[in-house]
Amino acid sequence: MINLQVRGEKGTIEARAEHGVVWGSELAGLDQSAFPMLGHLLPYADTVFNHRQVSTLLAEVPRLPAGVVTDAVVRELVELGRMVLDGRGLYLWFLGD
């Protein structure tokens, strides 16, 4: 399970998702050239996106093939991503197991 958080520059947790991203063949098989942000997630490592990277990530979300992530994850991902874009010094963290 990959959990999502928004953290500040000093590592403070500003928000977190209730639902996590389940690692599966659909996510592992994303074409990294078509999905440069989500295609580089790893199940056992943390991945951090800054403000500019979150913009690219949010553009990928509507193009995701069905079944890669749940609708609940999509909603929370968009919500947390917008929080990063609207804030200052915030980062979107994907926390692998």
Side-chain angles (χ1 to χ4, degrees):
M1 178 78 62
I2 301 172
N3 294 306
L4 295 124
Q5 295 179 349
V6 172
R7 293 186 184 182
E9 289 179 336
K10 297 187 187 273
T12 56
I13 300 170
E14 303 293 330
R16 67 181 75 221
E18 289 184 36
H19 303 91
V21 177
V22 176
W23 185 261
S25 60
E26 295 88 358
L27 186 57
L30 283 177
D31 179 355
Q32 292 180 348
S33 64
F35 296 95
M37 298 294 121
L38 290 170
H40 284 90
L41 295 178
L42 295 171
Y44 301 109
D46 296 345
T47 304
V48 181
F49 294 119
N50 64 34
H51 183 273
R52 292 186 73 187
Q53 293 166 321
V54 167
S55 294
T56 302
L57 173 74
L58 291 180
E60 293 178 11
V61 172
R63 299 184 290 107
L64 280 171
V68 173
V69 294
T70 66
D71 290 341
V73 169
V74 167
R75 283 190 300 275
E76 289 183 317
L77 179 55
V78 169
E79 179 182 324
L80 294 176
R82 287 186 181 146
M83 182 178 180
V84 170
L85 294 179
D86 292 341
R88 295 184 70 119
L90 298 176
Y91 299 86
L92 183 61
W93 283 67
F94 287 78
L95 302 151
D97 285 339

